[in-house]
Amino acid sequence: MKPRHPAPLNALRAFEAAARCLSFQDAAAQLFVTPAAVSHQVKRLEAYLGVELFKRGHRAVALTAEGEALAASLGELFGKLDLALDRATAATTADLRVSTMESFAAKWLAPRLHRFHRIRPDLRVRIETGNAHADFVRDGVDVAIRYGAGAYAGVDAERFLDAAVFPVCAPAVLGDAARPLATAHDLQRHTLLHDESAQGRPGVPGWSDWLDAAGATRVSAGEGPVFASIYLAQEAAIAGHGVALGVAPLVAEDLRSGRLARPFELALDNAYAFWIVRRRGAAANPAVDAFCEWLRGEAVGET
């Protein structure tokens, strides 16, 4: 049997952090050491391997081709090591790590999560928010929920919630006798709230699409404030600041509670949907299976 490579693990860890951050200073902060210590470990690794891993500038560093290749392999290996250690040290706990967007966590998942806890009180769900492609190995995520067109590379994705788009506003706005919302043409007297994240995404309806479909030719689709996320635009609508385009799963709870109202029935299909994303080829996990089955059951009530 071939013996293990006597690799300098501390130097490899320092290099991996520096390569990920492209900064010795940021890597040092993550590792709780000094930048000089990181630099020393990287030089030690370069001497051990006999290759240059970084191109060092006056205020910045960049990876060489050899550095890029080693960093890619180390990122995956350290991710697997961290995951193995997490599992070993948490063998007696039953945590389920779920990654999703802040808007979905706040508007759809959080109001329903107590129902999952009732049927599986033995599982502690940890919700983490983010929009990036889920890295199940590096981040230790068990299941992710994403809003997109699907076809995610290297993972198994299951479409579970459609995302029709239609106008929503606060009940007070809908009931304003001075500015009625009887027809789509009445929107010219109201502020349109825009979601920046929907712009430039083929098949994701914006205000111009909805107004065209409604035949509201006198309403300008380009006016009104622009928000960085669906969540912020819908919160502005709840506050009574105008009319937003709601994404069905994200406004369902607010419509039920009366925080939002739907002035028009016209809804547009959306090329984006909500997806359950799991690591491809992962070992069977009854906890993940139970959570995904619960998600599917909750989705049935939305259709």
Side-chain angles (χ1 to χ4, degrees):
M1 181 181 294
K2 182 181 178 181
R4 296 285 186 188
H5 216 300
L9 292 178
N10 286 339
L12 287 169
R13 179 67 87 174
F15 165 73
E16 190 277 333
R20 183 162 26 85
C21 300
L22 286 179
S23 165
F24 288 179
Q25 184 170 347
D26 291 346
Q30 289 188 9
L31 298 173
F32 301 102
V33 297
T34 65
V38 172
S39 178
H40 172 75
Q41 290 289 357
V42 171
K43 288 179 180 177
R44 180 187 172 203
L45 182 60
E46 288 176 323
Y48 174 81
L49 297 174
V51 297
E52 187 180 48
L53 299 173
F54 282 105
K55 297 176 182 177
R56 294 164 173 82
H58 178 58
R59 292 186 177 179
V61 294
L63 287 166
T64 62
E66 294 82 0
E68 287 183 358
L70 181 60
S73 297
L74 286 179
E76 182 177 353
L77 290 172
F78 279 125
K80 290 180 178 179
L81 177 60
D82 289 341
L83 182 57
L85 292 174
D86 285 344
R87 287 173 175 169
T89 56
T92 59
T93 66
D95 280 9
L96 184 67
R97 297 182 66 179
V98 178
S99 170
T100 187
M101 307 80 63
E102 183 180 11
S103 56
F104 190 83
K107 292 297 186 180
W108 195 93
L109 191 54
R112 295 164 172 79
L113 199 56
H114 67 283
R115 294 200 281 266
F116 180 72
H117 180 69
R118 277 205 305 267
I119 61 176
R120 290 300 303 267
D122 57 310
L123 295 178
R124 181 173 59 179
V125 180
R126 302 176 66 90
I127 306 298
E128 302 172 4
T129 58
N131 292 315
H133 188 81
D135 190 320
F136 293 92
V137 174
R138 183 193 64 207
D139 301 331
V141 172
D142 294 303
V143 61
I145 302 168
R146 290 293 184 266
Y147 173 65
Y152 299 110
V155 296
D156 292 326
E158 172 190 349
R159 184 175 181 139
F160 89 109
L161 275 176
D162 291 331
V165 172
F166 47 82
V168 292
C169 63
V173 172
L174 183 58
D176 186 351
R179 295 183 304 160
L181 270 175
T183 71
H185 293 288
D186 293 331
L187 285 167
Q188 63 186 315
R189 294 193 293 267
H190 292 265
T191 300
L192 302 186
L193 307 173
H194 300 266
D195 163 28
E196 184 179 52
S197 66
Q199 298 176 4
R201 294 179 172 180
V204 178
W207 268 117
S208 60
D209 301 300
W210 191 91
L211 292 168
D212 285 346
T217 56
R218 297 193 299 272
V219 182
S220 173
E223 297 181 4
V226 180
F227 297 87
S229 70
I230 303 170
Y231 177 61
L232 292 176
Q234 292 177 178
E235 286 298 297
I238 291 172
H241 298 317
V243 184
L245 281 180
V247 174
L250 301 184
V251 296
E253 192 66 23
D254 288 325
L255 288 170
R256 275 193 289 268
S257 68
R259 289 188 293 270
L260 281 176
R262 183 174 173 177
F264 311 108
E265 285 301 313
L266 176 63
L268 300 187
D269 291 337
N270 190 348
Y272 277 28
F274 291 91
W275 301 78
I276 299 171
V277 185
R278 300 178 65 170
R279 181 183 174 189
R280 180 169 296 169
N285 187 325
V288 174
D289 291 342
F291 184 74
C292 291
E293 185 61 29
W294 173 77
L295 287 174
R296 297 183 194 105
E298 290 289 318
V300 170
E302 297 295 310
T303 58

